[in-house]
Amino acid sequence: MKHVDLHLHLDGAVTVAIARKLAKLQGITLPENDQELERLLTVPEDCESLTDFLKCFALPLSLMQTREGLSEAVRLVVNDLQSQGVIYAEIRFAPQLHLEQGMTQEEAIRAALEGIKKAGECIDHAAEGNMAAQIKVNLILCAMRGDGNESANEETLRLAKKWLVADGGVVAMDLAGAEALFPTGKYRELFAKAKELKIPFTIHAGEADGAESVKLALEFGANRIGHGVRSQEDPQVLQLLKENQIPLEMCPTSNRQTHAVEDMSRYPFMDYLQHGLKVTLNTDDPGIEGTTMEAEYRYMEQRFGLDEDGKRTLLQNAVDAAFTTEEVKNWMRMELGLR
Ligand code: ADE
Ligand code: ZN
């Protein structure tokens, strides 16, 4: 099956194999034992919350503090996605998390763009005459929830505007990080500016915090919501999502691991889908969660009875929701057999 992944963090997409390549390239020492490395890179069984989950990002981030490391990470992640049947992906990352060895946020953006370009060249080379092997990739720049990083977020906003394109580069902004510790209300001004500057944006909301967080993100003018699982806590928020057909970027394995919902038997994904909310299916952090798009579909089929009609709706929703041009959307529809 061919896939579209709209919610995928670069630092969360680093697998053991990718970590080894990045470490070797930069002369960084990693544990020699693969199991030990996997333990450091993946979510522990006893992960209790999003805050716990986010601790797994320290190692992958440490491998992406140089231009070379960051660019190669993007190239390797894109190669993995392409080999897994993903035809369109929006990779998100926070430039401010790549400055430990002297890169600027703008250099980080340039490095990520270079990684996409290099991946394209490799894929073109490997697939001469085989158009089916194509993948298109765009970037979403994340601002980060936190304290004391207000000017870093402003800089991300400035650069998002500077680098914004309709397709083939930076296409939107996001807000990531610990939602329960740094509530959405704190980011009103940042997103008022994003709106004024006409930068499309999505916000992680209703994941570690409640429906109120989704309501605020909608008030700010978010074009999409990252997760939104907890929207069901307020019927009025569900109504707003439905009326405005705001896409939800849902990520079941991530939601299970971060305990976004306590009891997966009450996971609202199928309810949302059946009630006409614009649900999309995504991975979030495939390396850290040990998942792929294929595995997310299998999980939804086996655990929640997702059928062929449901899969088609998810794909249609993903294409409609993508931050790209009508031309690329039409290409996706052809590739996915949606017309
Ligand atoms: N960064 C990576 N994964 C995330 C998630 N699920 N929520 C918020 N920030 C994240
Ligand atoms: Zn996420």
Side-chain angles (χ1 to χ4, degrees):
M1 186 176 166
K2 290 182 181 176
H3 299 289
V4 172
D5 196 345
L6 300 181
H7 189 130
L8 165 78
H9 296 259
L10 176 64
D11 44 0
V14 172
T15 57
V16 167
I18 293 179
R20 291 243 177 265
K21 287 179 189 162
L22 295 178
K24 189 166 174 215
L25 179 74
Q26 300 170 98
I28 297 171
T29 309
L30 289 177
E32 273 175 28
N33 181 306
D34 271 357
Q35 272 160 332
E36 195 185 340
L37 182 56
E38 190 167 352
R39 196 178 52 72
L40 291 172
L41 269 177
T42 53
V43 181
E45 274 304 315
D46 61 354
C47 172
E48 285 189 351
S49 65
L50 176 62
T51 313
D52 244 13
F53 179 90
L54 294 175
K55 291 178 188 150
C56 300
F57 291 77
L59 177 59
L61 278 171
S62 73
L63 302 169
M64 295 186 253
Q65 296 300 329
T66 62
R67 261 181 267 178
E68 189 184 32
L70 178 52
S71 158
E72 186 63 0
V74 172
R75 190 184 74 81
L76 292 167
V77 167
V78 174
N79 272 351
D80 273 4
L81 293 172
Q82 187 258 341
S83 72
Q84 292 159 4
V86 175
I87 61 154
Y88 177 84
E90 289 172 4
I91 299 182
R92 59 188 76 195
F93 82 113
Q96 66 187 274
L97 298 181
H98 299 266
L99 313 183
E100 283 166 20
Q101 289 176 37
M103 257 196 294
T104 63
Q105 289 203 37
E106 187 153 35
E107 282 165 347
I109 294 167
R110 282 185 205 274
L113 290 169
E114 186 188 284
I116 294 177
K117 187 160 165 255
K118 283 198 181 145
E121 284 161 8
C122 294
I123 291 162
D124 280 351
H125 187 65
E128 263 156 37
N130 175 11
M131 289 300 285
Q134 264 203 43
I135 178 170
K136 293 190 191 293
V137 178
N138 281 317
L139 290 181
I140 296 177
L141 301 185
C142 301
M144 291 304 296
R145 296 179 188 269
D147 263 336
N149 65 333
E150 292 74 11
S151 60
N153 283 340
E154 292 282 340
E155 174 68 354
T156 307
L157 175 93
R158 185 184 73 82
L159 292 168
K161 178 65 186 174
K162 178 171 173 188
W163 286 85
L164 190 68
V165 290
D167 181 70
V170 174
V171 292
M173 273 186 78
D174 174 35
L175 177 63
E179 186 189 6
L181 302 183
F182 307 100
T184 301
K186 188 169 165 3
Y187 302 91
R188 185 182 290 278
E189 275 180 34
L190 184 73
F191 287 101
K193 286 182 200 158
K195 195 161 183 337
E196 196 182 310
L197 294 171
K198 298 196 165 46
I199 303 167
F201 60 91
T202 175
I203 293 184
H204 280 75
E207 180 191 20
D209 202 359
E212 186 60 26
S213 179
V214 178
K215 198 172 176 180
L216 277 173
L218 294 175
E219 221 176 278
F220 296 175
N223 302 80
R224 306 192 319 218
I225 298 291
H227 302 283
V229 209
R230 292 179 55 181
S231 304
Q232 62 175 352
E233 291 169 9
D234 183 348
Q236 199 203 346
V237 172
L238 287 181
Q239 190 56 30
L240 276 173
L241 289 167
K242 184 171 175 176
E243 267 171 28
N244 297 295
Q245 286 290 288
I246 300 292
L248 294 180
E249 306 155 4
M250 294 189 74
C251 313
T253 300
S254 164
N255 293 158
R256 180 165 50 81
Q257 292 178 346
T258 65
H259 298 259
V261 285
E262 250 343 294
D263 177 359
M264 279 310 271
S265 70
R266 299 230 209 106
Y267 192 51
F269 189 105
M270 296 305 285
D271 288 342
Y272 290 176
L273 192 61
Q274 280 150 14
H275 284 93
L277 267 65
K278 222 164 169 62
V279 179
T280 67
L281 180 60
N282 311 277
T283 57
D284 206 9
D285 299 293
I288 279 174
E289 297 161 22
T291 194
T292 58
M293 281 304 302
E294 199 73 32
E296 294 301 310
Y297 270 97
R298 209 176 319 122
Y299 177 63
M300 289 310 301
E301 280 166 38
Q302 291 174 356
R303 176 93 202 250
F304 298 100
L306 177 70
D307 61 11
E308 289 304 314
D309 269 2
K311 285 197 235 174
R312 199 177 162 85
T313 304
L314 291 173
L315 282 175
Q316 268 159 349
N317 289 349
V319 175
D320 293 346
F323 289 131
T324 182
T325 57
E326 267 315 306
E327 190 186 345
V328 171
K329 289 183 188 215
N330 283 332
W331 168 80
M332 281 195 254
R333 290 182 183 113
M334 291 261 289
E335 287 286 314
L336 298 166
L338 295 175
R339 61 212 252 113

